[in-house]
Every structure is written in C-alpha cells, then in structure tokens.
C-alpha cells in the first residue's frame, strides 16, 4: 500500500511521488501510475490543479483506492474546462477532503461503478460551460455521498441513475440553477437512504424542485431540511417509500407547488409519510396526475402524524383513484385540511380520521419539544455513544445570543460526553466560533452553544423564514467517536422585513 503526494506549487513529475519532499506536480502524472488496492493519492492543501482527474483503476472491497488531501490550509482545488473527476468502470474508490470549483462539466462523473464513497468534498460553480455540473453516478451499486457541500451548479446538484444501494448523508446542497434543475434527483434506483441533509433551492435561478425520486424502490427519506423550489419532494411511481421527520418549507411559485407528491408517472405502492413539518408553501401531500394521463394504481398511501401550517392549498389533496389514510395529523387553524374528490370520498378508499387543529403550530411544537427533552433527561443512558438531532427555533430576536446545549439529549456508556468536531472543525479547549449563513455561533466542548442572528443576512424575499444546518461529532472522552449529528437553526421572524 503506497501513498503518493501531489503538490502543484512545489512538486515535480520527475519525482518519485512517495514522500512529502518528492511530490508529483500534476494529476496527469497520477493517471500514469498503476495504482493498486489500498494505495492513496493525497493532494497538498493550497494546491490548484487546472486539469481533469481520470480514475481508471480499481481498489478492492477491503482496500479501496483513496484520493484525499494532506497538509494545512485550504482544501486542494480541481478546476478546468472538462469534468472535475471522471471515471468509468472503476470500483472501490474513496474521494475525500478536496474542492472542485469552476469546472466546465460535471464536478464528478462516474458511470458503471460500484463501492464509491464521496465525503467532505466541496463543489462550487461547476457546469460553467453550460453542461450539467452535477455530482453524477450512472449505473452501479453502493454509492455513498456524505458530509459534502454542493452549491451554485448548473443543472441538478446531484444526479443518481440506476444505482442499487445509495446513501446520501449529512450533505448541504444549495442553489442548483437551470429551468430543469432539481437540488437532488435519483432515477430508477433502489435501497436508498437520504438522511440528515439540508437541500435549499431558495436562491436558485429558475428553481424546479428540491428532491426528485423517480421509480424508487425501498427508499427512506428522513431528518432532512428541504427549503424552497417549486416543490419539496416528488416521489413518483415508487414502491416501499418512507418519508419521515423532514422539515419541508418554501415550496411555492406555482399554483400546483407541493411539499410531497406521488402518483403522476406510474404505479405507487406502500408509502409511509409521517412526522414531517410541512409549512410555508402551497399544497401539502398531493396524490394526483395530469388530466388524460394513464390510470396508475396508487395503493396503501399512509399519511399520518405530520404537522401542517401556513399553506395556501390543503394539507392533503387526492384527486385520482387511490387507497390509503390521512390520520393523526396536526393542522394549524387557517390551513385547509383536505381536498379529496367526491368520487374518492364516495368510494371510501382514503379515510380521514383523528386529525386535530391547533391555533398556533409553533407554540404547540415548542411545548412538545420541551416535554420530550424533559423525558429524555430523566431516561436511563443508552449503553453506547449516540447522538440525537438538535434544533433551535428563533421566533423573536432582540439581538442577544440564543443558547442551548448539543449534548443534553445524547448519551454514552460511561456517562461522559465531549463535543470534538463542529461543522468540520475541531473544538479546542477554548471552544470554536464559526460564521454561518445567517448568524454566528460559538460552541464549547461541553456542548453549550450561543447563536447570534445577523439580521442583515436575511434575504428579503423569504420574509424572515430561513434555516441553516451545522454538523457535529461527539465521543465519550476515550476516542469512541459517535455518528455525525446536526443542529438545525430555524429562523421564523414574520414581521422582521416588513
């Protein structure tokens, strides 16, 4: 297993590449190597490579080939007139800790590949030649994209097609531009997990949608923040699809805009849509199809335990033959509960029951969260290091910091928890201060945080309704690192910008 170093500033392609002082200079030199399973190619931080990286070799399942970075400073950057990284038929590849910016084509394009992991990769302004700037995987299996940031690309932010085994975890995708561009689109894929992401189309030019799944099989979409776009989640023609515990808002711009929709492009079966907060948009959950479209089956569509507020349309719309139920949902006063066609009502195939109306969803949600936190505090510790998502809701602001603790609802086997990493940075003994999209946050190793909103950063067109995500990692003080969790800050200041 060999480690090769590449430094665009001080390296030379005449070097051996196997030492810090004998680094290569170019990616083309790397392509000439006969890399073997377990080998690594590390790009020097601060380096800039004006060329495409072609990956034509494969690792093995237990020894992938890794492409990453070394040193200190800014992540190494790949940009050029073609794709950033291009590969066909390669297997067992890891790409991590690099930046791909201002490339003419796709940031990453891989076809007929398997067992790829893309982590801690930043993509910015790809597709500048007018071609799609997506992180693209076409045909393959076992693709993981995690803890990465994708912003301001031309075309879909992420495009997955015909892949069995997709994990899309804890990523941020912002402003995928183009009349046909979605934040994330996955077609004809199966065994999908989409978890912990923040996908935001609020500032996209000609925004289409946030998340599109076409013909998904065995898909779970959970704990994501989905903002803006013409629609939130379009999950068409799927089988066994779970959409739960997401925050979906800002879906507007068209009279048909929706938070979640299915039923348009094929048979849909066994959907569980639950625990979502759907707000500040047009329609909620929609089961529909264009007039004159084929008669597809829509069976066992279970919509329950969601919260709906600030919708111009109904929380549920069903205007095509379907079976399922709408029950135990919370609906804010002033939002229409259902819009179900008379024919479906007469058929009794989509019963409505046990839903309740509240005067103020935010107040009810905060009260429930307080009750849950109290219960969690009193519960016995989980016998493993584990973390639970945190959220901060800012409904009023006086300019003072908003305080909380990330570790209050987390647990470990020895009763000791330490915040080690926050949004990719190490939390030192003096804590860590970061500038977010809408404010500044300071965190300490004991999990305490203080978030100060910067009202000058709030976009006027959102009327004070925005959100941002921070990821973090904990351990029990003995290097047993937990899964990455997230803090989501919701800002809902209705009168701020009026």
């Amino acid at each position: 297993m060999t480690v090769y170093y590449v430094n665009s500033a001080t390296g030379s392609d005449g070097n051996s590449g196997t030492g810090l002082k004998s680094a290569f200079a170019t990616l083309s030199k790397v392509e000439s190597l006969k890399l073997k399973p377990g080998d690594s190619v590390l790009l020097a931080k601060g380096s800039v490579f004006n060329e495409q990286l072609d990956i034509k070799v494969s690792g093995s399942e237990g020894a992938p080939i890794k492409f990453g970075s070394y040193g200190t400073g800014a992540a190494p950057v790949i940009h050029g007139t073609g794709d950033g990284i291009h590969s066909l038929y390669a297997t067992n590849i890891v790409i991590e800790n690099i930046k791909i910016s201002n490339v003419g084509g796709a940031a990453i394009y891989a076809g007929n590949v398997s067992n790829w992991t893309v982590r801690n990769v930043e993509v910015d302004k790809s597709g500048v030649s007018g071609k799609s700037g997506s992180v693209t995987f076409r045909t393959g299996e076992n693709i993981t994209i995690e803890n990465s940031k994708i912003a301001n690309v031309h075309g879909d932010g992420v495009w997955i097609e015909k892949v069995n085994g997709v994990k899309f975890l804890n990523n941020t995708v912002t402003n995928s531009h183009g009349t046909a561009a979605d934040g994330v689109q996955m077609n004809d894929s199966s065994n999908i997990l989409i978890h912990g992401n923040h996908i935001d189309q609020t500032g996209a030019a000609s925004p289409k949608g946030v998340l599109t799944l076409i013909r998904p099989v065995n898909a779970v979409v959970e704990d994501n923040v989905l903002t803006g776009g013409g629609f939130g989640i379009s999950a068409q023609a799927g089988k066994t699809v779970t959409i739960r515990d997401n925050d979906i808002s800002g879906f507007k711009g068209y009279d048909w805009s929706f938070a979640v929709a299915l039923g348009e492009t094929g048979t849909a079966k066994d959907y569980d849509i639950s625990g979502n907060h759907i707000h500040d948009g047009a329609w909620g959950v929609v089961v529909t199809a264009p007039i004159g479209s084929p008669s597809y089956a829509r069976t066992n569509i279970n919509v329950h335990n969601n919260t709906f507020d600030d919708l111009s349309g109904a929380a549920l719309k069903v205007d095509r033959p379907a079976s399922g139920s709408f029950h135990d949902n919370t609906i804010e006063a002033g939002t229409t509960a259902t819009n179900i066609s008379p024919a479906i009502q007469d058929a009794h195939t989509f019963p409505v029951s046990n839903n309740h109306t509240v005067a103020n969803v935010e107040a009810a949600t905060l009260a429930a969260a307080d009750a849950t936190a109290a219960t969690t505090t009193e519960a016995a510790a989980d016998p493993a290091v584990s973390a639970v998502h945190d959220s901060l809701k800012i409904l009023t602001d006086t300019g003072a910091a908003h305080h909380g603790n990330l570790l209050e609802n987390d647990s470990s086997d020895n009763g000791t928890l330490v915040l080690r990493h926050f949004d990719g940075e190490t939390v030192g003994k003096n804590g860590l201060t970061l500038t977010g999209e809408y404010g500044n946050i300071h965190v300490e190793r004991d999990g305490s945080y203080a978030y100060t909103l910067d009202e000058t950063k709030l976009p006027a067109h959102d009327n004070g309704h925005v959100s941002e995500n921070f990821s973090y990692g904990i351990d029990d003080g003995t290097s047993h690192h937990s899964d990455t969790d997230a803090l989501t800050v919701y800002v809902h200041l209705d009168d701020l910008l009026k």
Side-chain angles (χ1 to χ4, degrees), residues 144-305:
T144 297
I145 304 171
E146 60 185 0
N147 300 315
S148 295
K149 296 181 179 181
I150 301 166
N152 297 307
V153 305
H154 176 84
D156 301 278
V158 174
W159 177 279
I160 305 288
E161 181 179 5
K162 296 181 180 178
V163 173
N164 176 28
V166 179
K167 292 182 179 179
F168 191 71
L169 312 174
N170 302 310
N171 303 286
T172 300
V173 182
T174 308
N175 297 336
S176 301
H177 301 294
T179 56
D182 296 324
V184 175
Q185 179 158 346
M186 300 187 186
N187 291 357
D188 299 299
S189 296
S190 56
N191 298 310
I192 301 166
L193 175 61
I194 301 172
H195 172 89
N197 305 282
H198 186 185
I199 311 174
D200 188 346
Q201 284 285 81
T202 300
S206 303
K208 183 183 173 187
V210 179
L211 174 61
T212 297
L213 305 176
I214 304 296
R215 294 174 293 276
V217 176
N218 296 330
V220 175
V221 182
E222 63 181 8
D223 293 316
N224 303 284
V225 177
L226 310 177
T227 310
F231 59 81
I233 302 174
S234 178
Q236 304 293 338
K239 180 179 180 181
T240 314
V241 176
T242 298
I243 300 172
R244 64 189 177 206
D245 301 328
N246 302 284
D247 187 285
I248 310 172
S249 67
F251 44 95
K252 55 186 71 173
Y254 308 100
D255 57 4
W256 51 261
S257 292
F258 53 78
V260 179
L262 57 100
E264 181 176 336
T265 62
T267 295
K269 181 180 180 182
D270 298 335
Y271 280 58
D272 186 273
I273 303 170
S274 62
N276 302 287
H277 184 194
I278 294 172
H279 58 105
D280 301 299
W283 299 89
V285 177
V286 176
V287 183
T288 189
I291 295 175
S293 62
S295 180
Y296 298 120
R298 306 163 186 90
T299 58
N300 193 28
I301 312 301
N302 191 13
V303 183
H304 63 99
N305 297 101

Side-chain angles (χ1 to χ4, degrees), residues 112-161:
N112 294 284
V113 300
S114 62
N115 300 330
W116 275 55
T117 296
V118 176
R119 69 164 69 98
N120 296 321
V121 169
E122 181 179 355
V123 173
D124 181 61
K125 297 184 179 68
S126 59
V128 295
S129 68
K131 299 179 181 179
S132 175
S134 303
V135 173
T136 298
F137 287 91
R138 296 182 184 271
T139 308
E141 60 183 7
N142 299 331
I143 303 300
T144 297
I145 304 171
E146 60 185 0
N147 300 315
S148 295
K149 296 181 179 181
I150 301 166
N152 297 307
V153 305
H154 176 84
D156 301 278
V158 174
W159 177 279
I160 305 288
E161 181 179 5

Side-chain angles (χ1 to χ4, degrees), residues 365-382:
T365 301
L366 290 172
D370 289 343
T372 300
T375 301
T376 303
T377 301
E378 295 171 2
D382 190 340

